[in-house]
Tab-separated table of all heavy atoms in Angstrom:
chain	number	residue	atom	x	y	z
C	93	ALA	N	11.697	10.316	-27.337
C	93	ALA	CA	12.562	9.240	-26.892
C	93	ALA	C	13.978	9.719	-26.652
C	93	ALA	O	14.632	9.402	-25.612
C	93	ALA	CB	12.655	8.135	-27.996
C	94	GLN	N	14.450	10.681	-27.506
C	94	GLN	CA	15.795	11.248	-27.257
C	94	GLN	C	15.858	12.046	-26.007
C	94	GLN	O	16.809	11.938	-25.262
C	94	GLN	CB	16.227	12.064	-28.494
C	94	GLN	CG	16.544	11.209	-29.723
C	94	GLN	CD	16.573	11.958	-31.057
C	94	GLN	OE1	15.894	13.083	-31.117
C	94	GLN	NE2	17.272	11.453	-32.047
C	95	LYS	N	14.802	12.849	-25.812
C	95	LYS	CA	14.764	13.701	-24.543
C	95	LYS	C	14.694	12.810	-23.368
C	95	LYS	O	15.338	13.082	-22.272
C	95	LYS	CB	13.579	14.623	-24.612
C	95	LYS	CG	13.777	15.640	-25.775
C	95	LYS	CD	13.076	16.979	-25.451
C	95	LYS	CE	13.548	17.982	-26.480
C	95	LYS	NZ	12.565	19.071	-26.643
C	96	LEU	N	13.917	11.715	-23.395
C	96	LEU	CA	13.862	10.818	-22.252
C	96	LEU	C	15.217	10.165	-22.030
C	96	LEU	O	15.697	10.170	-20.823
C	96	LEU	CB	12.814	9.703	-22.578
C	96	LEU	CG	12.766	8.505	-21.569
C	96	LEU	CD1	12.285	9.005	-20.231
C	96	LEU	CD2	11.849	7.359	-22.096
C	97	ASP	N	15.870	9.748	-23.053
C	97	ASP	CA	17.241	9.110	-22.885
C	97	ASP	C	18.202	10.108	-22.272
C	97	ASP	O	19.015	9.774	-21.362
C	97	ASP	CB	17.784	8.613	-24.215
C	97	ASP	CG	17.125	7.258	-24.588
C	97	ASP	OD1	16.457	6.657	-23.734
C	97	ASP	OD2	17.332	6.782	-25.734
C	98	ASP	N	18.139	11.374	-22.620
C	98	ASP	CA	18.989	12.420	-22.022
C	98	ASP	C	18.652	12.605	-20.553
C	98	ASP	O	19.633	12.669	-19.712
C	98	ASP	CB	18.696	13.824	-22.752
C	98	ASP	CG	19.279	13.827	-24.192
C	98	ASP	OD1	20.057	12.964	-24.491
C	98	ASP	OD2	18.872	14.761	-24.917
C	99	MET	N	17.328	12.584	-20.197
C	99	MET	CA	16.992	12.802	-18.812
C	99	MET	C	17.505	11.576	-17.966
C	99	MET	O	18.133	11.782	-16.867
C	99	MET	CB	15.445	12.750	-18.614
C	99	MET	CG	14.795	14.045	-19.028
C	99	MET	SD	13.061	14.119	-18.523
C	99	MET	CE	12.276	13.161	-19.750
C	100	LEU	N	17.403	10.404	-18.501
C	100	LEU	CA	17.877	9.210	-17.675
C	100	LEU	C	19.395	9.187	-17.667
C	100	LEU	O	19.956	8.785	-16.595
C	100	LEU	CB	17.317	7.917	-18.394
C	100	LEU	CG	15.804	7.703	-18.395
C	100	LEU	CD1	15.394	6.506	-19.156
C	100	LEU	CD2	15.335	7.627	-16.949
C	101	GLN	N	20.062	9.567	-18.754
C	101	GLN	CA	21.533	9.541	-18.730
C	101	GLN	C	22.083	10.406	-17.645
C	101	GLN	O	23.016	10.082	-17.010
C	101	GLN	CB	22.005	9.964	-20.130
C	101	GLN	CG	23.369	9.448	-20.454
C	101	GLN	CD	23.767	9.684	-21.880
C	101	GLN	OE1	23.134	10.558	-22.596
C	101	GLN	NE2	24.645	8.935	-22.453
C	102	LYS	N	21.424	11.590	-17.452
C	102	LYS	CA	21.812	12.477	-16.385
C	102	LYS	C	21.743	11.785	-14.999
C	102	LYS	O	22.552	12.195	-14.090
C	102	LYS	CB	20.966	13.755	-16.379
C	102	LYS	CG	21.487	14.710	-17.432
C	102	LYS	CD	20.712	16.093	-17.380
C	102	LYS	CE	20.874	16.808	-18.724
C	102	LYS	NZ	19.630	17.510	-19.145
C	103	GLN	N	20.890	10.907	-14.821
C	103	GLN	CA	20.805	10.218	-13.543
C	103	GLN	C	21.558	8.957	-13.555
C	103	GLN	O	21.462	8.073	-12.643
C	103	GLN	CB	19.301	9.866	-13.258
C	103	GLN	CG	18.345	10.933	-13.378
C	103	GLN	CD	16.907	10.458	-13.470
C	103	GLN	OE1	16.621	9.322	-13.271
C	103	GLN	NE2	15.963	11.386	-13.715
C	104	GLY	N	22.373	8.672	-14.660
C	104	GLY	CA	23.053	7.461	-14.751
C	104	GLY	C	22.287	6.200	-14.884
C	104	GLY	O	22.652	5.069	-14.608
C	105	SER	N	21.005	6.327	-15.501
C	105	SER	CA	20.147	5.172	-15.663
C	105	SER	C	19.712	5.077	-17.160
C	105	SER	O	20.012	5.973	-17.909
C	105	SER	CB	18.951	5.202	-14.777
C	105	SER	OG	18.051	6.127	-15.207
C	106	LYS	N	19.049	4.056	-17.516
C	106	LYS	CA	18.526	3.858	-18.868
C	106	LYS	C	17.345	2.954	-18.862
C	106	LYS	O	16.998	2.302	-17.870
C	106	LYS	CB	19.625	3.311	-19.805
C	106	LYS	CG	20.042	1.929	-19.485
C	106	LYS	CD	21.073	1.428	-20.523
C	106	LYS	CE	21.633	0.088	-20.347
C	106	LYS	NZ	20.615	-0.963	-20.408
Side-chain angles (χ1 to χ4, degrees):
Q94 287 164 338
K95 295 208 167 155
L96 171 66
D97 282 351
D98 290 345
M99 283 190 281
L100 294 175
Q101 206 169 20
K102 276 184 201 144
Q103 309 163 8
S105 75
K106 65 176 182 61

